[in-house]
Amino acid sequence: MNWNKWVRQIHRWLAIVFTVTVIVTFVALAQEEPLVWVSYVPLLPLFLLLFTGLYLFVLPYATKWRKARRTTPSAAES
């Protein structure tokens, strides 16, 4: 499995973890005496989702840029 597939798989699992932590947070805050610190639990998977999502977003542009660099001759070669 190459690097891009690993990042995509991690992103999918992080999305599941984030969804579960948000549900747990809603349940915990609906209690009689809510634990306020529980509202910070979804932030870790959210930040990890941000980084993996940005990587996946930029990936097509980076590959297109890399392919264009390989096919275009540089000024030194002319």
Side-chain angles (χ1 to χ4, degrees):
M1 198 182 262
N2 65 10
W3 179 254
N4 298 335
K5 288 183 181 180
W6 276 105
V7 172
R8 193 173 308 275
Q9 194 67 30
I10 289 169
H11 188 76
R12 288 178 185 152
W13 281 104
L14 281 172
I16 294 169
V17 170
F18 175 71
T19 304
V20 169
T21 57
V22 168
I23 292 169
V24 167
T25 301
F26 274 106
V27 170
L29 293 178
Q31 302 300 317
E32 289 282 328
E33 295 180 24
L35 301 171
V36 180
W37 63 267
V38 175
S39 61
Y40 297 114
V41 172
L43 291 179
L44 177 63
L46 182 63
F47 284 126
L48 295 173
L49 271 172
L50 171 73
F51 295 123
T52 57
L54 285 173
Y55 174 81
L56 292 172
F57 178 76
V58 171
L59 188 62
Y61 300 107
T63 52
K64 201 181 295 184
W65 177 73
R66 245 184 294 163
K67 283 182 183 178
R69 263 185 88 179
R70 286 184 192 156
T71 58
T72 314
S74 64
E77 294 175 357
S78 298

